[in-house]
Amino acid sequence: MARELLPQDLRAAASWAVSLLRARLEPRPAERRTLVIKRDPKSHHHHPCDGDAALYIDVLQYLATRIDLRSMRRLCLSGDVSGSRKVLSMEPGDSMIDNFEGVAFTWASVVGEGRRGAVAESLELSFDAEHTDMALGRYVPFITASAEEARRQDRSPLIYMNEGSWWSGMNYHHPATFDTLAMNPELKQSVIADLDRFLKRRDYYRRIGKAWKRGYLLYGPPGTGKSSLVAAMANYLHFNLYHLDLSESVHVIEDIDCYFSAASRDDGKDQAGDDVADDSDDDVGKKITPSGLLNFIDGLWSTSGEERIIIFTTNYKDRLDRALLRPGRMDMHVYMGYCGWEAFKTLAHNYFLIDDHPLFPEIQELLSAVEVTPAEVSEMLLRNLLVD
C-alpha cells in the first residue's frame, strides 16, 4: 500500500531516515587491535618485526597454564609425557580466550609465510581498542612476570663452591624447608614475609634508585639452625647459592666474625682499599678486611645483576663492626636461639610424625629450664624412639 500511495522519492527518503535511525540506535562494532608476537627465525639480518624468541616463549608458557581443556577440540602436547613436564599449546589455526581483570583477550596461533619464503609462526593477541593501554601496560608485563616466576619455581637450585681460582657448581638437594625448620613460628613467618615482600618490589627498588638486594644476618649459638635457615631460604626462593656470584642468587658468608672483629677497622694494619690483609700475629693467614667486604656490599655488588640476597651468619654478633650491621648491608637481623617448645614440636613431627604424646608436658617443662640447641635435640631424637 505504501508503494502505491507514496511517490518513489518520498519512499526513498523514508527508507534512508529509518536506516539512519537504526544506525544511531544500534551499537557500533568495537574497533579491534591485534598484536603479533613472532617466533624468532634466527636470522642473521635481524629486523625488529622478525620476532622475539624470549617473548614468544613467555607467552607460550603462560598460555599453557590458561588453556581450558573443555573448550578446545585439538591441542598440541609436548614435553616429557611420562613425567610431570607436560606442555599444552594451541594447534596452528586455533584460538582461545584469556580473561584478565575482567577483559577478554583473544589469542590465535598462526602459521604463515615469512621473509624469503620461510615458515613464520606467531601468536596474535586481539582485543578491543579501548583496552590498548591495559594490554601493553599491564597484561603483557603480567604474562612475562608469570612466565619468569614459573621458571623460577621449576628450576632446581645449584650451589657453587670456590676451589682456588675457579668455581664449581653442583645440584643443591638440601631437604630443609620452612615447614621442617625448627624455629620460633612468628620469627619464621616474619622471614617468609620479608622474602615475599622483597621479590615483589623490583619496580619499586628501580623507581627509588636502589639496587634490588637484601641483606640478612643470622646470629646465635652454634647448632641453632643458621645453616638450615639458609637452605630453607634458598629452596623457598629457588635461588642458586653462591659466595661471590653477581647474578640472581643467594650469597652466603658463614661465620663472618672469624674474618674480622669490630676493632679491626681501627687497626693500623687495615689499609684502606685493601681486600686482603695478613695477620701474622695469630698465624691465621690472609683475612678479608672490613673495607674490602664493605666495598663488595656497597660497590660492585650494588650495581650488577638482578635480585640478590646476601646472608651472613655468626655465633658472635657483638664482634662485628657496627658499620656492617646497619640497614642497607644487613637489613634484617634474625636471632637463632635455643630450642623452644614450638621448635621441639616441629622436630617431633619431622622425626616421628606425631603432634602429641604423653611425654610432651614433661619435655616442655625441661625445655623451659635448660638451654639446648635444635641440633642437640635432633641428635637425641635420632637415637631414641618415643614410645607409649
Side-chain angles (χ1 to χ4, degrees):
M1 183 180 297
R3 285 195 297 269
E4 294 177 357
L5 298 178
L6 297 177
Q8 174 66 27
D9 293 343
L10 185 56
R11 292 201 308 270
S15 177
W16 175 83
V18 171
S19 299
L20 179 62
L21 181 61
R22 182 182 293 115
R24 289 182 177 275
L25 294 178
E26 292 181 351
R28 295 182 180 180
E31 185 181 357
R32 301 284 287 177
R33 292 281 187 272
T34 299
L35 300 179
V36 180
I37 302 173
K38 297 181 180 179
R39 189 172 187 173
D40 186 3
K42 303 187 185 323
S43 172
H44 294 293
H45 304 286
H46 191 74
H47 186 274
C49 289
D50 280 343
D52 185 333
L55 181 57
Y56 184 89
I57 293 174
D58 283 351
V59 173
L60 208 61
Q61 292 178 342
Y62 170 77
L63 292 180
T65 67
R66 307 294 293 173
I67 288 178
D68 185 356
L69 296 176
R70 297 167 297 181
S71 64
M72 303 190 69
R73 295 183 178 181
R74 291 172 56 85
L75 290 170
C76 178
L77 178 63
S78 59
D80 182 7
V81 180
S82 61
S84 60
R85 298 180 60 85
K86 303 182 185 69
V87 179
L88 293 173
S89 59
M90 293 182 290
E91 279 278 88
D94 285 347
S95 63
M96 61 176 286
I97 294 177
D98 182 37
N99 290 296
F100 176 76
E101 296 184 4
V103 176
F105 291 92
T106 302
W107 286 96
S109 177
V110 178
V111 175
E113 184 175 335
R115 296 172 179 269
R116 300 179 181 178
V119 176
E121 300 178 49
S122 63
L123 294 168
E124 297 188 356
L125 170 62
S126 300
F127 48 88
D128 291 345
E130 62 180 305
H131 301 306
T132 300
D133 290 341
M134 174 189 287
L136 295 175
R138 298 200 299 276
Y139 184 50
V140 173
F142 171 77
I143 289 175
T144 56
S146 299
E148 174 58 29
E149 176 63 16
R151 285 193 293 270
R152 186 178 69 82
Q153 293 290 340
D154 191 50
R155 71 185 177 211
S156 298
L158 300 174
I159 183 169
Y160 285 84
M161 308 296 292
N162 183 283
E163 298 182 0
S165 59
W166 68 89
W167 300 89
S168 62
M170 65 189 75
N171 290 329
Y172 187 66
H173 297 302
H174 198 293
T177 66
F178 280 113
D179 290 335
T180 62
L181 193 62
M183 64 182 294
N184 179 279
E186 293 182 0
L187 180 59
K188 183 190 302 186
Q189 289 302 317
S190 69
V191 173
I192 294 174
D194 194 80
L195 293 172
D196 289 339
R197 188 163 48 246
F198 168 77
L199 286 177
K200 297 175 182 177
R201 288 189 170 183
R202 173 168 55 184
D203 294 337
Y204 174 75
Y205 275 83
R206 188 172 298 168
R207 179 172 63 82
I208 64 176
K210 291 178 64 68
W212 192 17
K213 63 183 179 70
R214 190 78 172 154
Y216 294 85
L217 172 65
L218 314 184
Y219 67 100
T224 52
K226 295 183 289 294
S227 296
S228 295
L229 177 54
V230 170
M233 293 171 73
N235 287 330
Y236 182 76
L237 296 169
H238 295 270
F239 280 9
N240 294 331
L241 279 168
Y242 292 84
H243 280 174
L244 294 174
D245 183 81
L246 297 177
S247 62
E248 175 182 285
S249 60
V250 174
H251 308 265
V252 182
I253 301 180
E254 294 192 302
D255 297 325
I256 183 115
D257 54 279
C258 296
Y259 290 98
F260 61 86
S261 65
S264 63
R265 274 188 93 214
D266 301 324
D267 194 334
K269 297 177 182 178
D270 181 16
Q271 299 297 324
D274 290 341
D275 290 340
V276 179
D278 289 325
D279 190 348
S280 57
D281 293 339
D282 57 11
D283 199 28
V284 174
K286 291 185 176 181
K287 293 186 175 181
I288 299 176
T289 65
S291 60
L293 184 61
L294 296 181
N295 181 62
F296 163 67
I297 298 174
D298 296 336
L300 187 62
W301 185 63
S302 294
T303 58
S304 303
E306 281 293 323
E307 64 265 48
R308 294 172 308 280
I309 288 178
I310 184 168
I311 302 174
F312 300 88
T313 73
T314 180
N315 299 330
Y316 309 102
K317 179 182 177 181
D318 58 329
R319 296 183 183 180
L320 299 182
D321 193 312
R322 286 175 297 179
L324 188 62
L325 297 175
R326 70 166 176 79
R329 290 168 179 162
M330 296 185 183
D331 302 288
M332 185 175 187
H333 297 192
V334 181
Y335 175 68
M336 303 296 289
Y338 291 104
C339 187
W341 174 238
E342 294 297 331
F344 172 81
K345 289 199 298 183
T346 299
L347 291 173
H349 183 80
N350 292 345
Y351 285 94
F352 302 107
L353 299 178
I354 61 173
D355 297 314
D356 196 11
H357 192 275
L359 290 177
F360 274 14
E362 181 181 352
I363 294 174
Q364 184 175 8
E365 184 177 350
L366 289 172
L367 287 174
S368 64
V370 299
E371 292 183 341
V372 60
T373 66
E376 293 170 325
V377 173
S378 297
E379 179 61 24
M380 293 302 297
L381 293 179
L382 282 173
R383 293 181 183 181
N384 302 277
L385 292 177
L386 291 176
V387 294
D388 291 327

